[in-house]
């Protein structure tokens, strides 16, 4: 049986925010769905709107990117600082300082959580949304699952993951992404990598080495369309173009990652992962002699 | 009573003018489509005729085949039935006893069921059915299913090319060593094939494949079972019944 956990004592949610002090959609998402656990807004020292954050919220934790610049592999020499990878690496230390065993890392622009199954289900009256009035239930069950399976990081799906149909639901053994929402263990540090595409770079780098990640396909996290908001990573995309991020993942794994064209009407360059070449398969122990 | 099976010219058989069954034009079109899609059905279930080649069972299929321009048709010729028995056969052949079990049907592909012209009332029932068979869709560990050669687990084509190039360079040994090690990044491991190879390997080789983290073993099906449990918890919260 897996380790015991105390939801209130051992778990915390972090919202990574940068330059959006007055537009933290994720905070609203947690509040309106009666999340009762601890959560903190994580800001970096170089954020010009830091005073505004402090004025508006009493649960802001500030970290210094300089503490992580030397420790983080950005996979380039651009010396870009307005990037999220430092915060992703800082939260492990923040959780440790807070004496938390597990934490969930969210970006600041999530509108909704929803669910979707590969089979038709009837949504009973009064339960239109999975987490309605009880986000705690969803988080507790997710944590229970996370702890029992003993993985390094697990995540909820994002809207785009489900395009392409049922395959995403029944191929957890093969497609082991983590994006947008990260359930992490304080005692198993993962160093996120790359100025851009840090989530993809990280699951490819560690995944190939046998670290265990997966996405829960039933729970979907939705956010505003990237590159339309101000703040966050928008400046990086403006400076370098969105296509540049794919190259970071190619550098991490030149065998499994290739460039591809995505989209129906307007094509754009994006990375494409050949999962058979990316991470070891998970197989049942009944095949073990 | 004698029974004979053979393939005859479609012109040899005669429609039963007294057949009480009717078929609409649209139903006939659907039947034609169905026969075109699965022609083997006719050999499995032939048209039944009497000794005068008058159809006892399969009048609709006969009309559909005729319209499709078929020249020959498999038949079962029944000799020695009385007129009353012939009428009884016609009725009983067309009676449908029993109902489809929706709980079983819903585990089948609904699009295929529609394609096979199952009555719409069952399609509606399947859609309305609150029971969800989640076990069917929640197999989340890989089950090796083919014999794989060890050479299919690895591709060193690019690595070999790079090594050859590096070895031709006039450089110091420490730089050569660095470059040769760098070239290993282009060794391609096919993890799917490795999983298949693992299943047929000796215990000793399996242990080493595990130690090299080339497969991840779901010990005691912990991932599989917990994945199922988590999904059930969520469905339960939603008030969805599951099997």
């Amino acid at each position: 049986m897996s380790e015991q956990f105390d939801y209130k004592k051992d778990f915390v949610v972090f919202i990574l925010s940068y330059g959006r002090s007055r537009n933290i959609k994720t905070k609203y998402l947690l509040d309106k769905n009666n999340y009762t656990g601890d959560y903190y807004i994580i800001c970096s020292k170089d954020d010009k709107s830091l005073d505004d954050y402090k004025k508006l919220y009493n649960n802001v934790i500030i970290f210094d990117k300089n503490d992580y610049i030397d420790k983080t592999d950005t996979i380039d020499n651009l010396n870009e600082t307005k990037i999220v990878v430092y915060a992703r690496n800082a939260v492990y230390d923040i959780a440790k300082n807070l004496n938390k065993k597990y934490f969930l890392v969210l970006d600041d622009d999530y509108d909704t959580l929803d669910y979707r199954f590969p089979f038709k289900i009837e949504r009973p009256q009064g339960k239109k949304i999975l987490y309605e009035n009880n986000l705690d239930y969803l988080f507790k069950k997710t944590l229970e699952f996370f702890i029992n399976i003993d993985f390094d990081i697990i995540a909820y799906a994002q809207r785009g993951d489900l395009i392409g149909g049922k395959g995403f639901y029944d191929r957890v053994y093969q497609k082991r992404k983590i994006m947008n929402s990260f359930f992490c263990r304080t005692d198993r540090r993962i160093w996120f990598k790359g100025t851009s595409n840090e989530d993809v770079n990280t699951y490819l780098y560690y995944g190939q080495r046998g670290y265990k990640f997966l996405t829960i396909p039933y729970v979907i996290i939705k956010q505003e369309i990237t590159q339309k908001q101000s703040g966050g990573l928008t400046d990086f995309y403006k400076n370098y173009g969105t296509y540049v991020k794919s190259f970071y993942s190619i550098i991490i794994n030149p065998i499994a990652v290739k460039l591809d064209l995505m989209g129906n009407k307007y094509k754009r360059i994006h990375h494409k992962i050949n999962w058979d070449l990316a991470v070891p398969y998970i197989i049942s122990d009944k095949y073990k002699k | 009573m004698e029974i004979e099976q053979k393939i005859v010219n479609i012109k040899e058989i005669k429609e039963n003018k007294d057949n009480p069954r009717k078929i609409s034009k649209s139903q006939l079109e659907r039947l034609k489509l169905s026969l075109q899609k699965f022609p083997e059905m006719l050999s499995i279930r032939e048209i039944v005729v009497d000794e005068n080649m008058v159809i006892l069972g399969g009048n609709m299929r006969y009309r559909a085949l005729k319209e499709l321009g078929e020249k020959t048709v498999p038949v079962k010729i029944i000799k020695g039935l009385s007129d009353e028995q012939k009428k009884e056969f016609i009725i009983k052949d067309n009676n449908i006893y029993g109902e489809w079990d929706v709980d079983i049907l819903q585990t089948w592909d609904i699009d295929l069921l529609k394609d096979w012209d199952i009555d719409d009332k069952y399609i509606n029932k399947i859609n309305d059915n609150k029971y969800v068979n989640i076990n069917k869709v929640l197999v989340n560990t890989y089950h090796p299913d083919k014999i794989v050669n060890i050479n299919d687990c690895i591709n060193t084509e690019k690595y070999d090319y790079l090594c050859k190039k590096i070895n031709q360079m006039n450089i110091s040994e420490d730089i050569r060593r660095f470059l040769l090690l760098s070239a290993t990044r282009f060794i391609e491991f096919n993890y799917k094939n490795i999983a298949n190879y693992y299943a047929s390997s000796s215990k000793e080789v399996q242990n080493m494949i595990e130690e090299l983290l080339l497969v991840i073993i779901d010990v005691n099906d912990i991932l599989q079972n917990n994945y199922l449990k988590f999904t059930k918890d969520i469905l339960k919260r939603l008030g969805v019944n599951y099997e």
Side-chain angles (χ1 to χ4, degrees):
Chain A
M1 190 55 200
S2 64
E3 64 208 62
Q4 295 297 309
F5 76 99
D6 181 326
Y7 176 65
K8 286 283 173 68
K9 186 169 159 275
D10 297 333
F11 176 65
V12 63
V13 176
F14 295 134
I15 303 171
L16 309 186
S17 192
Y18 190 88
R20 287 186 189 139
S21 56
R22 294 183 180 253
N23 189 24
I24 308 177
K25 291 180 186 302
T26 310
K27 178 185 159 28
Y28 178 66
L29 181 75
L30 295 180
D31 290 346
K32 80 172 176 184
N33 294 293
N34 301 323
Y35 169 63
T36 62
D38 287 349
Y39 75 92
Y40 293 93
I41 298 162
I42 308 298
C43 297
S44 73
K45 214 173 163 183
D46 65 333
D47 192 328
K48 284 175 186 156
S49 52
L50 205 53
D51 288 340
D52 207 31
Y53 275 106
K54 286 194 272 189
K55 199 167 71 188
L56 289 167
Y57 313 108
N58 58 8
N59 55 345
V60 177
I61 292 180
I62 300 154
F63 78 100
D64 189 344
K65 282 177 183 169
N66 290 316
D67 294 340
Y68 294 91
I69 286 174
D70 287 345
K71 296 174 187 168
T72 302
D73 178 4
T74 56
I75 324 180
D76 62 19
N77 55 4
L78 297 174
N79 298 322
E80 191 63 58
T81 54
K82 285 185 179 178
I83 53 176
V84 74
V85 69
Y86 302 120
R88 296 222 185 282
N89 289 332
V91 286
Y92 280 89
D93 293 321
I94 295 169
K96 197 175 174 185
N97 292 337
L98 292 168
N99 278 324
K100 299 291 185 181
K101 287 183 181 172
Y102 315 101
F103 56 97
L104 167 63
V105 188
L106 300 170
D107 292 344
D108 59 2
D109 55 350
Y110 297 142
D111 286 317
T112 42
L113 275 163
D114 203 350
Y115 65 93
R116 198 170 300 164
F117 290 89
F119 35 73
K120 185 181 170 70
I121 60 167
E122 187 173 300
R123 293 182 180 214
Q125 287 294 318
K127 288 187 179 176
K128 287 181 181 169
I129 3 181
L130 167 66
Y131 54 90
E132 191 170 306
N133 295 324
N134 205 334
L135 201 49
D136 288 335
Y137 179 85
L138 175 63
F139 287 170
K140 271 182 197 168
K141 287 295 164 189
T142 309
L143 269 174
E144 197 178 291
F145 172 62
F146 178 45
I147 294 165
N148 285 345
I149 62 172
D150 197 30
F151 270 41
D152 293 284
I153 298 179
I154 65 171
Y156 295 138
Q158 52 180 3
R159 200 185 327 221
D161 286 336
L162 305 173
I163 296 168
K166 197 173 131 341
F168 193 75
Y169 293 97
D170 58 11
R171 264 186 251 147
V172 166
Y173 60 80
Q174 180 204 31
K175 298 175 94 172
R176 296 211 298 282
K177 314 165 76 163
I178 37 158
M179 297 177 93
N180 289 349
S181 53
F182 305 88
F183 281 86
C184 306
R185 301 175 62 112
T186 310
D187 61 352
R188 291 201 203 163
R189 176 184 268 288
I190 296 290
W191 285 99
F192 281 77
K193 296 177 184 300
T195 293
S196 182
N197 232 17
E198 81 289 339
D199 42 10
V200 180
N201 306 333
T202 303
Y203 68 65
L204 284 170
Y205 179 86
Y206 286 98
Q208 190 186 33
R209 287 157 177 78
Y211 285 72
K212 293 179 282 186
F213 308 125
L214 69 77
T215 290
I216 296 166
Y218 308 127
V219 188
I220 305 154
I221 201 147
K222 296 176 182 175
Q223 63 188 137
E224 284 190 16
I225 296 166
T226 321
Q227 294 125 51
K228 276 199 174 171
Q229 298 180 91
S230 60
L233 280 175
T234 310
D235 292 339
F236 175 83
Y237 292 135
K238 272 183 193 161
N239 290 341
Y240 301 102
T242 55
Y243 73 96
V244 171
K245 66 184 213 170
S246 300
F247 290 96
Y248 287 87
S249 301
I250 291 174
I251 293 167
I252 283 287
N253 190 334
I255 292 297
V257 188
K258 303 289 178 209
L259 283 184
D260 197 20
L261 285 174
M262 271 182 78
N264 293 325
K265 196 172 176 188
Y266 301 105
K267 301 282 183 195
R268 63 190 172 96
I269 293 174
H270 202 71
H271 64 266
K272 188 177 184 182
I273 298 168
N274 180 342
W275 283 99
D276 285 352
L277 309 181
V279 295
Y281 268 43
I282 301 173
I283 62 177
S284 167
D285 71 355
K286 74 178 183 184
Y287 299 98
K288 184 176 168 62
K289 290 184 173 118
Chain B
M1 186 180 72
E2 282 177 44
I3 300 174
E4 185 187 354
Q5 286 171 284
K6 63 177 182 178
I7 294 172
V8 298
N9 190 312
I10 200 163
K11 287 178 182 166
E12 288 181 43
I13 55 177
K14 299 162 203 150
E15 204 170 342
N16 189 342
K17 302 292 179 200
D18 298 325
N19 180 33
R21 292 280 287 179
K22 294 190 291 189
I23 189 166
S24 70
K25 195 161 176 54
S26 66
Q27 284 171 323
L28 186 65
E29 288 306 313
R30 283 164 74 177
L31 179 59
K32 280 160 67 176
L33 199 64
S34 166
L35 289 169
Q36 279 178 314
K37 281 186 180 171
F38 190 31
E40 295 83 359
M41 183 73 191
L42 265 182
S43 309
I44 300 165
R45 197 150 185 260
E46 314 94 326
I47 288 176
V48 180
V49 294
D50 67 9
E51 56 275 3
N52 301 315
M53 301 301 277
V54 175
I55 299 169
L56 300 175
N59 278 285
M60 309 309 154
R61 278 179 287 150
Y62 164 77
R63 280 165 65 177
L65 290 167
K66 216 169 137 187
E67 287 196 16
L68 286 168
E70 290 293 326
K71 302 276 186 257
T72 57
V73 59
V75 293
K76 191 180 266 182
I77 304 167
I78 316 289
K79 295 175 184 169
L81 289 180
S82 66
D83 285 352
E84 194 180 314
Q85 282 176 317
K86 286 177 188 174
K87 283 179 181 168
E88 187 180 351
F89 176 84
I90 289 167
I91 296 299
K92 288 188 173 172
D93 186 42
N94 286 292
N95 269 349
I96 297 171
Y97 300 98
E99 289 275 320
W100 295 110
D101 185 333
V102 176
D103 284 346
I104 293 173
L105 281 185
Q106 71 173 355
T107 65
W108 296 23
D109 187 324
I110 193 164
D111 292 329
L112 285 176
L113 290 172
K114 283 180 192 168
D115 209 31
W116 297 337
D117 268 343
I118 192 166
D119 196 311
D120 283 347
K121 76 175 182 186
Y122 292 106
I123 297 294
N124 294 337
K125 274 187 182 175
I126 290 166
N127 282 331
D128 288 345
N129 203 328
K130 289 179 190 171
Y131 286 89
V132 172
N133 186 337
I134 57 175
N135 296 298
K136 196 175 160 66
V137 293
L138 290 178
V139 179
N140 260 306
T141 47
Y142 181 63
H143 291 264
D145 56 1
K146 59 178 180 178
I147 304 291
V148 165
N149 188 294
I150 190 66
N151 294 324
D152 296 327
C153 297
I154 193 165
N155 179 353
T156 60
E157 200 177 328
K158 190 157 187 183
Y159 168 72
D160 293 339
Y161 162 78
L162 291 167
C163 287
K164 195 177 167 187
K165 243 180 134 177
I166 293 163
N167 283 326
Q168 284 168 353
M169 292 168 76
N170 186 19
I171 48 176
S172 66
E173 280 314 300
D174 53 343
I175 294 175
R176 190 185 314 282
R177 182 172 177 274
F178 166 75
L179 293 176
L180 287 171
L181 285 172
S182 304
T184 59
R185 297 181 73 227
F186 292 89
I187 296 174
E188 182 182 302
F189 291 93
N190 188 311
Y191 296 103
K192 184 180 185 177
N193 287 345
I194 292 169
N196 279 292
Y197 184 77
Y198 171 92
S200 57
S201 298
S202 67
K203 193 177 176 183
E204 189 185 15
V205 173
Q206 279 195 343
N207 288 341
M208 189 45 73
I209 288 176
E210 284 175 46
E211 198 174 333
L212 289 165
L213 292 171
L214 292 167
V215 293
I216 294 172
I217 305 301
D218 186 20
V219 180
N220 297 327
D221 292 329
I222 282 175
L223 171 63
Q224 184 66 54
N225 294 337
N226 279 284
Y227 193 73
L228 197 62
K229 183 181 178 301
F230 175 76
T231 308
K232 285 178 177 176
D233 286 341
I234 299 298
L235 287 172
K236 195 172 159 189
R237 182 77 191 176
L238 289 165
V240 176
N241 294 314
Y242 52 81
E243 289 180 350

